[in-house]
Amino acid sequence: MSLQVTDCQFVCDQQTITASFDLKPGATKAIYGPSGSGKSTLFRILAGLSQEGFSSGSYTIDAQSIDDLSVKARATLISLMFQNPDTQFCMHTPREELLFCLENRGIAPKDMPQRVEEALSFCDIAALADQPLRTLSGGQKQLVALACCLVMESRYLLLDEPFANLDHQTRKQLVQKLRQLQRTRNIGILLIDHQLSYVTDWVEQWLLIEAQCLSLDQEGILALEGAITRRLPVPSIEAPAAKEALFIEDLHFSAGAHSIHLPTFHLPAGGLIGITGKSGIGKSTFLKVLLHDHPYQGTVRVNQKNIATVKQAFTHMSWIMQNPQDQFIATTVADELRVGKQDSSIASYLTQLRLEEKSRMSPFLLSQGQQRRLAVASFLLRPVPILLVDEPTYGQDIEQAWQIMQMLADKAKSGTLVLIVSHDTPLLQAFCSQIIDFNLYLTEDAYENTQPKRQAIRDFSTRIGHFFSNK
């Protein structure tokens, strides 16, 4: 038994890619390559969700051609976790979503409740079971999407960036639980992940996507990423101006079952500020607080002016959302950039974003990584005192993530205060002038037991030195 791909060809961005590999039950393999290189396209084909499929070659699951399998039989054998969970959900709550999955598998109603509870418990989201999916954080949605794959009890799992929106501790715990589940159920797992450190001792073989899928072992993939990292320019962190752009004092707001209490922060114009914390703690909610789109108590002043309405907030701030599809308003990539700038700047930005051949394409037809780069770039072209950025490097390879952070750093140097929500701590440490860890300001009861005033203090040379320590 195995998932067998032999000399299979598919097209991504007008490039023909040939893939050959196998995945046995109980094995773990991973796909590596630049953003937009065809990794997610390959996953959709393997899951039987692509109309084009492979143009040639042989693809079988346990010696059966996927074209000969019914939808029910295919779901029994293989499940796909989408890179963007919002494109995967059909129902209102996690529990309803899981039940919907089982209904489509034809599972007997009497067996459904236990399987749902087991999947919720495995992903540690039982408390979220009946919460509207639209209210969950990006990381919580990823856990729900993973639970949907697990509840199907398929023999092979395709996991597309399954840990990208999760905090460090949750990632580690989830990897360990998946490894245990894999041993128990003998599941074959094929995953896409740009954060190698969490999975290198788990993944047995890496498939590098190029014109041909090349096979690399652990030593080879680490050597490749080390070579890429050494090519990256060391960022220069400049002290921001003394002018205050954002003032926060005694700020309280709820985030799910807990609350956040922030003491006093004076955030300067030209600052590049990182915001981190465990998944679901309230980082994205904080951006909504600043935009006056979520209830809070306390003081928020922008350029020494109180913000009283959403309209007032958006006259001073722009918001790059966690899901890029929520913010696109134009019909082509080029027009999306034109919203923020004159035509003279667009060509160079398209080249910088590696989107020059997609200028006339709809933003909604780009890969997830390409959509995120476009979303960031379109707002960087707009003059604004404060820029709020939610997970800008999610789904990016290390070079593209570095470039996005450099673009945000350049925006900050122009005098804009840039606030970046991210779980990518090394990137924040390398670029940001200040990092605020929301874990320090978490309270279980709303507006009570607040933490004392604390703020992350950073040593620039030490942190940058640590990031480049593999040179």
Side-chain angles (χ1 to χ4, degrees), residues 439-457:
N439 293 320
L440 303 176
Y441 307 104
L442 172 67
T443 62
E444 295 301 327
D445 299 317
Y447 313 143
E448 295 179 3
N449 303 321
T450 56
Q451 298 280 352
K453 178 180 177 180
R454 286 185 283 188
Q455 192 166 331
I457 306 298

Side-chain angles (χ1 to χ4, degrees), residues 239-259:
K243 179 184 176 183
E244 180 183 273
L246 178 64
F247 173 75
I248 297 170
E249 184 178 41
D250 198 26
L251 186 66
H252 305 255
F253 62 91
S254 62
H258 60 267
S259 65

Side-chain angles (χ1 to χ4, degrees), residues 369-398:
Q370 291 166 340
Q371 287 182 351
R372 199 161 299 274
R373 296 202 298 275
L374 175 62
V376 172
S378 64
F379 276 86
L380 291 178
L381 293 170
R382 306 176 190 183
V384 62
I386 300 176
L387 181 62
L388 311 178
V389 191
D390 202 345
E391 294 286 357
T393 60
Y394 165 74
Q396 303 294 321
D397 62 83
I398 187 170

